[in-house]
Amino acid sequence: MKHLCNGPIALEALLACDDPACGAALLFTGCVREHNEGRAVSGMLYTAHERLADKALADICSEALQQFEIRSCRIIHRLGELRLGDISVAIAVQSAHRPAAYEASRWAIEAIKQRVPIWKKEHYIDGASRHLDGHTLDAAL
Amino acid sequence: MKHLCNGPIALEALLACDDPACGAALLFTGCVREHNEGRAVSGMLYTAHERLADKALADICSEALQQFEIRSCRIIHRLGELRLGDISVAIAVQSAHRPAAYEASRWAIEAIKQRVPIWKKEHYIDGASRHLDGHTLDAAL
Amino acid sequence: MNLILIPYGPLVDVLGEGPLNIECPATTAAELLAWLHQQYPALQAWRGRIACGLGDELLRAASPLGEAQRIALIPPVSGG
Amino acid sequence: MNLILIPYGPLVDVLGEGPLNIECPATTAAELLAWLHQQYPALQAWRGRIACGLGDELLRAASPLGEAQRIALIPPVSGG
């Protein structure tokens, strides 16, 4: 699974810029926050339909390359139990000019939240856990 | 000079997220591109009015914190001779929610280009060099 | 038809980890979901919100089902 | 008034590295720039585009100048 991992995301590899045509790079990282919707969070479990999720993330990279004037788009999503502050998702975009990098990165994180079969289960400091509400897939019946 | 450096920018330090209220981080990096306005570039010299540039970069960080719902904004600009692919500027923004991080980062790079007394001198593979056209400061007379 | 259902995300809280071996009259993905909603009233909150996956494809409403297929039940997603 | 001028960026290509010790009748930043444009026709392209810095402040048009001050000449910027 090229776009999924079970341990810390290797940011150095995502940051590497060996394409001399690139003038701008943007690295977005999402991480586990201590509060959500007013509740104190202690950690988060990410699960996935790994095969479909990896494919959806690959599709998002391809579509970003088609839709925006960027040179590369790499996305890694972490699965499993994460602690506060752990990075759950990283999106690295490189482009010749900066506006396209911002637009593509922003588009990609929204697409991830809407289309990729990954689920969050939040753990709270009071011991409770719950799956968060999510985005219904276009293919829902 | 807190916001200026003469060697490679330490990205790891900029990426560190030790604020558990942050759910999103965005790292923008600008680097030396092999082509500009149709000419083949071999490198770039960045010079600055260091005292005014450091102050202007500090101002941009403060203003970003005031204008956007972000938790931190750090900017480092590199000076001196840079080679192709070298990172000239890095902007790290952290926020609870991602939209503010994107908005603040985008605002900051535009502000840097318009307000900070730093100058690029491009070197071309044919041996020529020239300062690039720039943005006139509001304080120009 | 005999089918094997694999619930994902919050559907695990309702249907268990699975896989669920079921015997049902459905011949399409849409019919499978209609049948599921009848059998599991606790799925009410997910009416119109579950997608079906087969291999690495998402099924359409009219996609035909085959004997012994493993069907992923995919509720609204919350990655990122 | 005696002033010490420090050119920056592309102004170095026109005025040299500096510092330039000058003797001029200007008493404000605006007057200094007017005088400079008269003395250095090569600055034509920068008319209205140069800011003056003193210490860590940018000067306004009417900012008074003092004897022996070091004035930074700041052309359009191109960082990033």
Side-chain angles (χ1 to χ4, degrees), chain D residues 5-80:
Chain D
L5 304 184
I6 324 281
Y8 282 88
L11 295 182
V12 170
D13 301 339
V14 181
L15 301 174
E17 288 280 345
L20 280 73
N21 276 278
I22 61 160
E23 185 64 41
C24 80
T27 61
T28 66
E31 287 173 13
L32 169 62
L33 281 173
W35 181 85
L36 269 177
H37 282 295
Q38 212 168 37
Q39 298 293 310
Y40 298 91
L43 290 178
Q44 176 64 30
W46 282 277
R47 196 170 284 273
R49 305 187 68 197
I50 299 175
C52 292
L54 177 63
D56 68 354
E57 300 290 341
L58 292 170
L59 300 180
R60 292 161 184 273
S63 296
L65 301 177
E67 194 64 29
Q69 280 177 337
R70 293 174 71 88
I71 306 295
L73 299 178
I74 300 174
V77 302
S78 56

Side-chain angles (χ1 to χ4, degrees), chain C residues 62-74:
Chain C
S63 296
L65 301 178
E67 195 64 28
Q69 279 177 338
R70 295 173 69 88
I71 307 294
L73 300 177
I74 300 173

Side-chain angles (χ1 to χ4, degrees), chain B residues 67-80:
Chain B
Q67 288 183 41
F68 302 94
E69 287 284 322
I70 60 174
R71 307 265 314 172
S72 74
C73 179
R74 285 172 285 183
I75 303 175
I76 307 282
H77 202 299
R78 181 172 174 182
L79 302 177

